[in-house]
């Protein structure tokens, strides 16, 4: 190709680039006016509240929302347990809880001591792999895993429990656990201390568990409930609304009665038990949904366990343990007339939707923050141009001559810079809870499978009447037309199409 021809080709490519960019700029005002409401309830599966007769709830992070002070408390107590009881170095006291370091849904390689984000297709999002508090270079990650794909046999099992190698952290309570793991790893590496990663994982898990099992966290929250619990008025309003409309309600939680009672007295009032037809504490989920062997046991208001056989689940009584099969037999509450809300996609929702046909609602507090970010002008502008540039790259890659490839490589570099920037907007280390650069995360995949609807908090129900039907939007498959009438009808749809981090 002559010099003149190369210049003409280069000039033509840049003119197409500039024209595309201008067209994108023209779209920005239209897109910017279509924001997503953070209080929206989103549907993965069509569901009508008109069909729901019974509402069930988890307690922690469903009825009761906690401030960040609680995660700091859990981190500090578990850290001190490692030092005092497991003989970990005193130097760990230099580490404080970092509320913005990790996100939910990450995977932890127990044997390699690596924390990372994995997408729905089992690929590691390069740039999100951390050893301690430091990122691992992409080349090192690729060498360790012989690429960026994580085979199924070393992933967490179907319900997110630790398998041979990987543990997925799905619980909001796991945020301080991930942070503590990262801090201890960081300390050992900084001080060149040889250690066994498997032992570290087990010790941290045990220390975090002790904060709950020994009742340390429960006593701390009960002693200063205003410091740790928030969102009380909204939860109260939801429960009153359901009660007023004649809906039956039940509570199934792993927390002990005293803790729940203290929290519900604060959130709802001393008459909170009048709102619930059945209250079950220390249920031991997810075992509650699978293990048929544990019978219900009645608990008095003073915590005394009674020994009588349970023939009915009575309103006003408190029950401990039990199992779902006995619950179904005693209540007759079966199938799609039941809607159960919880924050843990595996422990709260998976078995209910897969085995029992209950409708499920996931409470995802992180939604509110992420949607607010998606609504910013910076994010809308960047994502609109990122998608347009990606389409341009796909179209122009057929030009293989050196001059064209030089231009296209500049576009690829620009695209990569934008992808990194949009990731950092959500979380500098791990990006969005819901997406890797373009694919849904492993967390999102499970969310879409196990939750019929999802929302930031129960308060979102206050925006809908109890006859409302939730319709999932028709997202085009890859072989279908990208333009459907509903795709451009509301800002919600445009907003989701822009969410690529």
């Amino acid at each position: 190709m002559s010099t003149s021809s190369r210049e003409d080709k280069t000039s033509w490519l840049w003119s197409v680039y500039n024209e595309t960019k201008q067209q994108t700029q023209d779209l920005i005002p239209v897109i910017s006016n279509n924001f997503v409401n953070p209080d929206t309830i989103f549907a993965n599966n069509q569901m009508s509240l008109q069909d729901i007769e019974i509402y069930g709830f988890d307690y922690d992070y469903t009825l009761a929302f906690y401030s960040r002070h609680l995660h700091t408390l859990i981190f500090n107590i578990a850290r001190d347990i490692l030092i005092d009881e497991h003989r970990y170095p005193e130097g760990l006291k230099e580490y404080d809880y970092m509320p913005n370091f990790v996100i939910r849904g990450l995977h932890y390689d127990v044997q390699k001591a690596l924390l990372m984000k994995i997408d729905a297709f089992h690929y590691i999002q390069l740039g999100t792999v951390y050893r301690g508090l430091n990122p691992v270079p992409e080349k090192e990650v690729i060498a360790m895993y012989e690429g960026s794909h994580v085979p199924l046999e070393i992933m967490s099992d179907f319900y997110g429990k630790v398998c041979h190698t990987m543990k997925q952290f799905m619980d909001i309570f796991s945020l301080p656990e991930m942070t503590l793991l990262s801090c201890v790893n960081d300390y050992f590496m900084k001080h060149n201390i040889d250690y066994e990663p498997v032992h570290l994982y087990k010790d941290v898990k045990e220390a975090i568990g002790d904060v709950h099992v020994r009742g340390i966290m429960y006593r701390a929250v009960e002693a200063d409930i205003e410091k740790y619990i928030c969102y009380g008025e909204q939860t109260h309003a939801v429960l009153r609304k359901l009660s007023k409309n004649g809906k039956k309600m039940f509570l199934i939680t792993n927390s002990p009665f005293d803790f729940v009672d203290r929290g519900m007295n604060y959130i709802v009032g001393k008459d909170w038990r009048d709102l619930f037809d059945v209250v079950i504490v220390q249920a031991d989920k997810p075992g509650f949904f699978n293990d048929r062997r544990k019978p219900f046991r009645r608990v008095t208001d003073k915590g005394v366990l009674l020994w009588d056989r349970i023939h009915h689940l009575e309103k006003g009584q408190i029950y401990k343990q039990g199992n779902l099969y006995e619950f179904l037999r005693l209540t007759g509450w079966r199938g799609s007339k039941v809607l159960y809300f919880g924050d843990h996609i595996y422990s709260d929702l998976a078995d209910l939707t897969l085995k029992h046909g209950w409708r499920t609602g996931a409470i995802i507090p992180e939604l509110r923050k992420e949607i607010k970010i998606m609504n910013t002008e910076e994010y809308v502008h960047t994502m609109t141009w990122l998608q347009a540039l990606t389409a341009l790259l796909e179209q122009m890659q057929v030009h293989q001559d050196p001059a064209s490839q030089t231009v296209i490589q500049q576009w690829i570099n620009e695209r990569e810079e934008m992808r990194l920037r949009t990731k950092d907007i959500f979380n500098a280390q791990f990006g969005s809870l819901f997406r890797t650069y373009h694919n849904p995360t492993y967390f999102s995949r499970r969310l879409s499978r196990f939750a019929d609807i999802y929302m930031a908090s129960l308060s979102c129900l206050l925006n809908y009447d109890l006859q409302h039907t939730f319709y999932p939007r028709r997202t085009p498959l890859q072989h279908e037309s990208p333009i459907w009438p509903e795709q451009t009808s509301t800002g919600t749809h445009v907003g989701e199409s822009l969410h690529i981090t």
Side-chain angles (χ1 to χ4, degrees):
M1 182 182 292
S2 66
T3 301
S4 176
S5 297
R6 287 198 298 271
E7 290 176 351
D8 289 344
K9 189 68 170 293
T10 299
S11 177
W12 174 75
L13 286 170
W14 281 113
S15 68
V16 174
Y17 170 96
N18 289 328
E19 182 180 351
T20 304
K21 195 163 192 176
Q22 183 58 55
Q23 291 172 349
T24 302
Q25 294 286 347
D26 294 340
L27 281 173
I28 296 297
V30 177
I31 297 173
S32 297
N33 289 327
N34 292 290
F35 292 140
V36 183
N37 184 350
D39 292 318
T40 299
I41 294 178
F42 303 92
N44 292 319
N45 191 20
Q46 184 173 327
M47 188 190 78
S48 176
L49 294 180
Q50 188 173 359
D51 299 329
I52 305 301
E53 300 174 13
I54 305 113
Y55 287 77
F57 306 91
D58 181 30
Y59 176 69
D60 297 304
Y61 287 106
T62 301
L63 293 175
F65 275 76
Y66 299 101
S67 69
R68 284 186 171 181
H69 296 298
L70 184 61
H71 288 170
T72 300
L73 175 76
I74 294 171
F75 177 92
N76 290 341
I77 295 172
R79 178 200 60 200
D80 293 345
I81 289 174
L82 287 178
I83 295 168
D84 297 338
E85 301 181 21
H86 295 269
R87 299 182 180 181
Y88 277 68
E90 287 280 342
L92 288 175
K93 289 190 175 180
E94 300 172 4
Y95 290 88
D96 295 319
Y97 180 62
M98 297 172 286
N100 297 314
F101 181 68
V102 297
I103 61 173
R104 198 155 47 125
L106 299 178
H107 280 79
Y108 183 75
D109 190 320
V110 175
Q111 296 178 352
K112 294 183 174 68
L114 298 176
L115 193 62
M116 68 192 73
K117 188 165 79 169
I118 295 177
D119 73 12
F121 300 95
H122 294 197
Y123 282 90
I124 299 167
Q125 182 177 355
L126 296 175
T128 70
V129 180
Y130 275 70
R131 182 183 288 115
L133 301 177
N134 298 298
V136 180
E138 292 182 8
K139 288 184 179 179
E140 186 178 340
V141 174
I142 291 171
M144 282 190 288
Y145 291 97
E146 299 181 348
S148 60
H149 183 263
V150 180
L152 179 62
E153 60 266 21
I154 69 170
M155 293 282 285
S156 298
D157 74 3
F158 191 69
Y159 295 102
K161 298 176 184 176
V162 66
C163 215
H164 299 293
T165 301
M166 290 283 189
K167 158 70 178 179
Q168 188 181 18
F169 290 101
M170 297 293 279
D171 191 352
I172 300 176
F173 279 128
S174 68
L175 296 176
E177 182 176 355
M178 286 186 278
T179 305
L180 184 57
L181 274 169
S182 299
C183 289
V184 180
N185 275 310
D186 183 72
Y187 182 89
F188 283 160
M189 289 187 296
K190 278 185 176 178
H191 294 83
N192 297 314
I193 299 174
D194 189 24
Y195 68 102
E196 172 53 61
V198 174
H199 297 333
L200 169 60
Y201 167 76
K202 290 181 178 178
D203 288 346
V204 169
K205 180 182 179 182
E206 182 179 329
I208 292 287
D210 284 344
V211 177
H212 297 267
V213 173
R214 296 180 186 178
I216 303 171
M217 183 195 81
Y218 301 133
R219 289 192 295 273
V221 173
E222 290 176 42
D224 195 355
I225 203 159
E226 292 184 3
K227 178 179 179 180
Y228 294 109
I229 292 185
C230 47
Y231 292 178
E233 293 181 2
Q234 296 170 330
T235 298
H236 189 186
V238 170
L239 296 178
R240 292 292 183 192
K241 177 179 179 178
L242 296 176
S243 178
K244 184 179 178 180
N245 283 273
K247 304 299 182 181
K248 293 185 180 298
M249 290 185 281
F250 64 92
L251 172 64
I252 302 177
T253 176
N254 287 347
S255 293
F257 173 68
D258 287 346
F259 179 70
V260 174
D261 186 51
R262 181 77 173 88
M264 291 298 285
N265 282 342
Y266 175 73
I267 295 168
V268 177
K270 292 185 178 181
D271 62 344
W272 71 269
R273 287 161 61 181
D274 295 340
L275 296 172
F276 291 90
D277 295 271
V278 178
V279 176
I280 300 166
V281 298
Q282 293 177 279
D284 192 27
K285 295 178 293 182
F288 179 87
F289 299 126
N290 296 289
D291 189 347
R292 298 171 182 258
R293 295 171 297 176
K294 292 182 180 180
F296 285 108
R297 193 163 189 179
R298 198 151 52 91
V299 185
T300 69
D301 291 352
K302 295 183 178 180
V304 177
L305 294 173
L306 303 180
W307 46 261
D308 55 317
R309 187 188 297 272
I310 303 300
H311 296 284
H312 306 282
L313 296 177
E314 300 175 6
K315 186 169 184 174
Q317 299 295 325
I318 305 298
Y319 299 93
K320 178 182 176 181
Q321 293 182 340
N323 65 83
L324 183 65
Y325 297 93
E326 190 70 0
F327 179 88
L328 297 176
R329 185 183 71 81
L330 293 174
T331 63
W333 295 345
R334 300 175 182 274
S336 57
K337 66 182 180 180
V338 185
L339 171 58
Y340 185 79
F341 292 97
D343 67 288
H344 197 303
I345 296 172
Y346 297 139
S347 296
D348 288 325
L349 308 181
D351 289 303
L352 294 178
T353 188
L354 292 175
K355 298 179 180 179
H356 302 286
W358 283 11
R359 309 312 294 265
T360 51
I363 305 300
I364 313 292
E366 299 92 338
L367 260 177
R368 189 164 275 115
K369 175 188 173 183
E370 294 220 2
I371 290 173
K372 288 180 179 178
I373 291 172
M374 290 168 57
N375 285 339
T376 62
E377 184 177 346
E378 176 190 5
Y379 183 83
V380 171
H381 185 278
T382 302
M383 292 310 304
T384 305
W385 173 232
L386 178 56
Q387 292 203 111
L389 183 59
T390 301
L392 191 62
L393 280 167
E394 183 177 22
Q395 185 179 6
M396 294 302 179
Q397 64 182 323
V398 295
H399 300 284
Q400 295 293 320
D401 58 276
S404 298
Q405 286 298 302
T406 299
V407 174
I408 289 171
Q409 186 58 51
Q410 292 181 56
W411 297 353
I412 290 172
N413 294 341
E414 180 184 359
R415 178 175 181 266
E416 186 60 26
E417 289 174 4
M418 284 194 293
R419 281 168 25 125
L420 289 172
R421 190 162 67 247
T422 53
K423 166 188 152 298
D424 291 347
I425 290 176
F426 292 96
N427 177 279
Q429 293 74 233
F430 301 101
S432 166
L433 171 64
F434 301 97
R435 281 197 184 271
T436 58
Y437 287 127
H438 52 278
N439 289 332
T441 58
Y442 198 85
F443 177 94
S444 288
R445 180 183 182 181
R446 291 299 193 239
L447 175 64
S448 63
R449 178 64 186 90
F450 298 144
D452 291 297
I453 55 175
Y454 63 100
M455 65 209 75
S457 72
L458 279 178
S459 64
C460 298
L461 278 171
L462 297 174
N463 301 319
Y464 300 85
D465 66 53
L466 298 184
Q467 308 298 312
H468 188 88
T469 298
F470 297 101
Y471 295 97
R473 72 191 56 137
R474 183 181 177 112
T475 303
L477 301 174
Q478 294 299 311
H479 65 277
E480 294 178 323
S481 168
I483 305 289
W484 298 95
E486 72 236 42
Q487 289 298 113
T488 56
S489 62
T490 71
T492 302
H493 305 142
V494 174
E496 181 170 273
S497 69
L498 294 179
H499 195 178
I500 303 179
T501 55

